[in-house]
Amino acid sequence: MNKKGRLVLFSGPSGVGKDTLLDILLKKRPEIRHSVSITTRKKRENEVDGVDYFFISRDRFENMIDNNGVLEYTQYGVNLYGTPKEPIDNWLSEGETVILKIEVHGAENIKKMYPEESVAIFIMPPSIEVLEQRLRNRGTENEEDLIRRMEIATSEIEKSVDYDYIIVNDNLESAANEVIKILDN
Amino acid sequence: MNKKGRLVLFSGPSGVGKDTLLDILLKKRPEIRHSVSITTRKKRENEVDGVDYFFISRDRFENMIDNNGVLEYTQYGVNLYGTPKEPIDNWLSEGETVILKIEVHGAENIKKMYPEESVAIFIMPPSIEVLEQRLRNRGTENEEDLIRRMEIATSEIEKSVDYDYIIVNDNLESAANEVIKILDN
């Protein structure tokens, strides 16, 4: 076992299946710590506080930022999303493996803060066409949103070059096994 | 052993180390067949005919195209570069594994022609900065060429999404082992 913890940065375009993959991964390796993000947006009905996000007030969020309690944060629309620092530092100091779902810019910043501990994994869709189809199948997007998401996806795929590992998610089970192989290394 | 041969399409930006990787690979797995490209350009001093390329005349090249002997070809400057069809078809029919260094557009076309046999592998540089440094270290490029190559590299990296496997070449030995793991699967 490693004395030093590892911080697994888990990125990939929207629709690539990060959440499902993360679920499988955490079931297969229950000892992995999952860093849950904080957000100021409202909880949706199907979401669980502390599992999907920690849903907190804007005041609380800003207070955490002021107290150096947020590793990185970003604003989408009117809502803030961020990564709490304390649990990560605690787990890493205990030698745990911590996994963190994070978009490409956040990953870049965190990698600079934890150059020794970071293992950056990018989840790639099997093809651009499959990604588009997956986003369409969700049925929650209008055409304009879809086009925007596909543009963001393309620019994220360009950033995959800066990741330590790239895994093509053509099959959830084998993609999960590839992540585990990296973590067991 | 497979009855059906496999056609390994091997792509990645200029400077990523495809040639060195291919050398290591062919030493570790001498049974793999390497499809050598044809070109009309002049042989350089350090090159070997039949190893680096088959150096042939433009007449001969065009004749091969007319006789359906070229899988795909492209023109850079005044020179033609292409993939001869016959050796690949022969090897595949004998159940061999054939490896073919090919740029992204050629790979796309060949994948359509051999949808069953193709295994597309993209070799990714560890980062954009490392790739730029490698191209600079070659010392053969002026600044303008370098910028152009980096632009091409970025658009190739975007295309990596359509590959079956993506391998980050941060270490030649382990990248070669990853390719072998794919081929042994």
Side-chain angles (χ1 to χ4, degrees):
Chain A
M1 232 207 148
N2 281 3
K3 267 274 172 67
K4 201 182 218 173
R6 269 179 316 175
L7 183 55
V8 182
L9 307 174
F10 204 61
S11 303
S14 167
V16 76
K18 284 192 301 294
D19 287 308
T20 319
L21 207 46
L22 195 59
D23 281 348
I24 297 176
L25 208 64
L26 294 173
K27 270 183 195 119
K28 284 181 182 254
R29 285 288 185 277
E31 71 276 18
I32 295 176
R33 304 303 184 146
H34 175 214
S35 164
V36 176
S37 299
I38 51 176
T39 182
T40 62
R41 86 153 157 76
K42 274 208 172 135
K43 190 172 90 59
R44 292 176 196 141
E45 251 190 39
N46 59 337
E47 290 178 325
V48 178
D49 191 21
V51 173
D52 297 292
Y53 287 98
F54 290 109
F55 298 93
I56 65 178
S57 69
R58 190 165 186 114
D59 271 2
R60 174 93 194 280
F61 200 117
E62 288 174 348
N63 205 278
M64 283 177 75
I65 295 172
D66 293 343
N67 288 297
N68 195 25
V70 183
L71 269 187
E72 58 77 45
Y73 68 97
T74 185
Q75 178 148 357
Y76 290 122
V78 296
N79 297 309
L80 295 171
Y81 296 78
T83 305
K85 187 176 188 310
E86 203 184 300
I88 290 179
D89 285 343
N90 287 343
W91 283 325
L92 289 179
S93 73
E94 289 162 4
E96 304 278 3
T97 295
V98 184
I99 198 159
L100 175 59
K101 213 180 63 179
I102 183 103
E103 50 74 51
V104 292
H105 297 103
E108 211 178 328
N109 290 331
I110 292 182
K111 231 184 145 172
K112 281 181 201 144
M113 292 185 256
Y114 298 86
E116 299 284 310
E117 294 89 347
S118 290
V119 181
I121 302 178
F122 190 90
I123 308 300
M124 188 75 89
S127 73
I128 276 288
E129 291 75 19
V130 169
L131 186 69
E132 187 173 335
Q133 200 49 56
R134 283 183 191 168
L135 287 175
R136 279 189 195 283
N137 289 347
R138 284 187 177 181
T140 53
E141 313 273 337
N142 60 41
E143 199 62 17
E144 202 179 298
D145 278 353
L146 188 87
I147 290 168
R148 220 185 114 258
R149 272 180 193 268
M150 289 307 294
E151 284 171 359
I152 294 172
T154 307
S155 76
E156 284 173 328
I157 287 165
E158 252 180 54
K159 290 277 184 191
S160 69
V161 63
D162 291 319
Y163 279 71
D164 301 311
Y165 299 94
I166 302 168
I167 292 174
V168 180
N169 184 22
D170 48 358
N171 172 293
L172 279 166
E173 193 66 24
S174 64
N177 286 335
E178 283 185 62
V179 177
I180 285 173
K181 246 191 275 172
I182 293 167
L183 299 185
D184 286 350
N185 236 347
Chain B
M1 232 207 153
N2 281 4
K3 267 273 171 72
K4 200 179 218 171
R6 267 178 317 174
L7 183 55
V8 183
L9 307 173
F10 205 61
S11 304
S14 167
V16 76
K18 284 191 300 296
D19 288 308
T20 318
L21 207 46
L22 196 58
D23 281 348
I24 298 176
L25 209 62
L26 294 173
K27 271 185 195 119
K28 284 181 184 253
R29 285 286 185 280
E31 71 277 16
I32 294 176
R33 306 300 185 146
H34 176 213
S35 164
V36 176
S37 299
I38 51 177
T39 183
T40 62
R41 85 154 159 76
K42 274 209 172 132
K43 191 173 90 61
R44 291 175 197 141
E45 250 188 40
N46 59 338
E47 290 178 323
V48 178
D49 191 18
V51 173
D52 297 293
Y53 286 98
F54 290 110
F55 298 92
I56 65 178
S57 69
R58 190 165 186 114
D59 271 0
R60 172 94 195 280
F61 200 116
E62 287 172 350
N63 205 276
M64 284 177 73
I65 295 173
D66 293 342
N67 289 296
N68 196 24
V70 183
L71 268 187
E72 59 78 44
Y73 68 98
T74 185
Q75 177 148 358
Y76 289 121
V78 296
N79 298 310
L80 295 172
Y81 295 78
T83 305
K85 188 176 186 312
E86 204 184 299
I88 289 180
D89 284 343
N90 286 344
W91 284 325
L92 289 180
S93 72
E94 289 162 4
E96 305 278 3
T97 295
V98 185
I99 198 159
L100 174 60
K101 214 179 65 179
I102 183 99
E103 51 75 51
V104 293
H105 296 103
E108 211 179 327
N109 291 329
I110 292 182
K111 233 185 144 173
K112 281 179 201 147
M113 293 185 255
Y114 299 87
E116 299 285 309
E117 295 88 349
S118 291
V119 181
I121 302 178
F122 191 91
I123 308 300
M124 188 74 90
S127 73
I128 275 289
E129 291 75 21
V130 169
L131 185 69
E132 186 173 335
Q133 200 49 56
R134 284 184 191 167
L135 287 175
R136 278 189 195 283
N137 289 348
R138 284 185 176 183
T140 52
E141 314 273 338
N142 60 41
E143 198 62 18
E144 203 178 299
D145 278 352
L146 187 87
I147 290 168
R148 219 184 114 261
R149 273 182 191 266
M150 290 305 294
E151 282 170 0
I152 294 172
T154 307
S155 76
E156 286 173 326
I157 287 165
E158 252 181 55
K159 290 278 185 190
S160 69
V161 62
D162 291 319
Y163 280 72
D164 301 312
Y165 298 94
I166 302 166
I167 292 174
V168 180
N169 184 21
D170 47 357
N171 172 292
L172 279 166
E173 193 66 24
S174 64
N177 285 335
E178 283 186 62
V179 177
I180 284 172
K181 245 190 275 172
I182 293 167
L183 300 185
D184 286 348
N185 236 345

